[in-house]
Amino acid sequence: MRILAIETSCDETAAAVVENGQRVLSSEVASQVELHARFGGIFPELASRQHVLAIEPVVARALADADIEEPAELDAVAVTCGPGLVGSLMVGVNAAKGFCLGSNLPLIGVNHLVGHLYSLWLETDRALGCDWRDLAFPHLSLIVSGGHTELILMHGHGSWERLGGTLDDAAGEAFDKVARILGLGMPGGPAIQQAASQGNPAAHDLPYPLRRDPKHALDFSFSGLKTDMLHRCRRAGLDPDGENNGVPPEVVNDLAAAFQARVAELLLDRLETAAILHSARSIGICGGVSANALLREQALSRFAGLGLPLRIPPLAWCTDNAAMIGAAAWFGRPVRFEPDHGLDLDVAARLPVA
Ligand code: KG4
Ligand code: ZN
């Protein structure tokens, strides 16, 4: 079964063709990062306009790369219908509906977060850690993206529960905001990683949010950490709007390294607690922040120490892409999603994963 998948929930216009939920025949991603960089964040109206311009060529390239000449060579069209920026989601959903109208293919709406979960099942030999075949249930996944930080326990395909998540900012959002006050620009995660690689994480003793709060043993909080970073940056002479004011790079690098190390520690501590509490048989980390080199390296050694198979997708499947949407549509078919959402599929800015 071949699915054409479309993803436009945020600032990437993406299309892919995925066979049987796992084999990626093609994957195209047109990033808008440069377009939004000068605004210091994503400008929603601009994002939807850019999706309108990019969607047709991106879909055409995905089809051509997969050697699909006729829609009849496909079995369904999957599209992200939420959560995300409504204007952006609408471009993808309407493009998918148009494709279905012209081809008589069924339309499958996919939750973007479920897409991230299923990025772990994409067939690849470049993923970090175990093979997808070793992802035994109950499987525990940490979704860490720009908009979400969620701990999900999967009992089987299409069957999962949310164990916890962030009480305030998402981890990726914290990376982006801290990068901004450090004057490192967008996208924040890679910029902090780069600066941190030259810094000393022990230079600052940052707070550990929710350390002794049994009610929130599986939740996260990043806003206090972000505020603490803001105060440290001010004391170092940095301007919160990103002005460097001649502060030496070593100062910025140490702050970035301490922040990155603390976030990685917070994420992995919660993941480990949840794994033990719920007797998980395999672990996954997915979403944009799972591209972080320190997090990947530490996760690998921590879960190897616990004897638990861990999988983190290759970098291309960590950040937003359409291949994961094709995977989620295929795996979710029999259980969670209507096989055919029809042309009345709507978009939703908020759409819980469970
Ligand atoms: O999953 P994603 O591409 O989009 C959303 O669904 O939000 O995640 C984007 C987030 C951004 O906040 C970005 O700063 C973060 O992922 N990110 C990283 C890294 N690469 C991307 N965070 C830390 N380290 C990275 N290397
Ligand atoms: Zn995402």
Side-chain angles (χ1 to χ4, degrees):
M1 182 176 183
R2 287 176 172 179
I3 296 181
L4 166 67
I6 296 176
E7 152 66 44
T8 61
S9 67
C10 193
D11 62 339
E12 326 273 6
T13 316
V17 178
V18 184
E19 193 168 62
N20 296 335
Q22 294 192 281
R23 180 154 301 148
V24 183
L25 302 184
S26 66
S27 177
E28 280 290 323
V29 181
S31 172
Q32 303 181 1
V33 152
E34 281 171 24
L35 189 68
H36 299 281
R38 67 196 153 112
F39 301 105
I42 293 161
F43 196 136
E45 177 62 21
L46 208 56
S48 25
R49 283 165 188 252
Q50 186 58 32
H51 284 308
V52 170
L53 296 176
I55 190 73
E56 221 181 304
V58 164
V59 169
R61 280 203 300 274
L63 292 173
D65 284 359
D67 291 326
I68 304 283
E69 287 173 3
E70 298 291 331
E73 295 166 50
L74 296 165
D75 298 279
V77 178
V79 64
T80 306
C81 55
L85 301 170
V86 166
S88 292
L89 288 163
M90 276 171 62
V91 178
V93 166
N94 284 324
K97 284 181 182 176
F99 198 95
C100 289
L101 260 178
S103 61
N104 260 330
L105 289 169
L107 177 66
I108 306 172
V110 175
N111 181 315
H112 180 79
L113 300 174
V114 177
H116 276 303
L117 281 181
Y118 276 99
S119 65
L120 294 162
W121 271 267
L122 288 170
E123 210 176 84
T124 162
D125 48 18
R126 288 169 296 132
L128 206 65
C130 73
D131 189 80
W132 61 267
R133 293 176 194 83
D134 300 323
L135 292 178
F137 296 113
H139 166 80
L140 177 69
S141 252
L142 172 67
I143 308 174
V144 261
S145 69
H148 296 85
T149 305
E150 314 259 352
L151 272 173
I152 306 294
L153 187 68
M154 293 179 71
H155 301 287
H157 290 300
S159 156
W160 48 77
E161 61 180 304
R162 181 183 184 274
L163 301 179
T166 184
L167 304 178
D168 39 58
D169 292 353
E173 195 180 348
F175 266 103
D176 293 337
K177 288 179 177 165
V178 168
R180 190 187 166 128
I181 54 179
L182 285 172
L184 295 172
M186 272 183 74
I192 289 200
Q193 176 174 319
Q194 171 62 30
S197 68
Q198 318 285 320
N200 170 19
H204 296 269
D205 185 20
L206 300 180
Y208 188 108
L210 307 177
R211 192 195 283 279
R212 287 181 200 85
D213 191 341
K215 255 192 16 235
H216 293 295
L218 299 183
D219 289 322
F220 305 87
S221 166
F222 297 102
S223 72
L225 187 58
K226 188 187 66 194
T227 309
D228 184 86
M229 286 296 294
L230 181 65
H231 293 318
R232 282 172 202 269
C233 290
R234 279 210 177 107
R235 283 201 296 276
L238 290 158
D239 186 293
D241 286 330
E243 280 306 317
N244 176 273
N245 296 338
V247 173
E250 306 81 68
V251 173
V252 173
N253 296 344
D254 284 354
L255 282 161
F259 174 76
Q260 176 182 251
R262 181 59 99 213
V263 174
E265 183 189 10
L266 289 166
L267 293 173
L268 295 179
D269 282 357
R270 293 305 202 249
L271 190 56
E272 182 179 336
T273 305
I276 294 166
L277 265 173
H278 291 273
S279 309
R281 291 181 57 215
S282 64
I283 307 288
I285 309 181
C286 53
V289 180
S290 67
N292 184 267
L294 181 82
L295 181 71
R296 295 168 81 87
E297 192 186 298
Q298 293 191 344
L300 209 58
S301 65
R302 190 187 287 226
F303 289 102
L306 290 171
L308 270 173
L310 166 81
R311 185 166 165 88
I312 312 180
L315 299 184
W317 310 141
C318 291
T319 46
D320 287 349
N321 65 86
M324 67 185 196
I325 303 303
W330 192 82
F331 277 101
R333 247 173 345 138
V335 224
R336 194 172 165 87
F337 308 114
E338 301 281 313
D340 181 354
H341 275 286
L343 296 179
D344 55 356
L345 175 68
D346 209 352
V347 301
R350 289 172 182 274
L351 196 59
V353 63

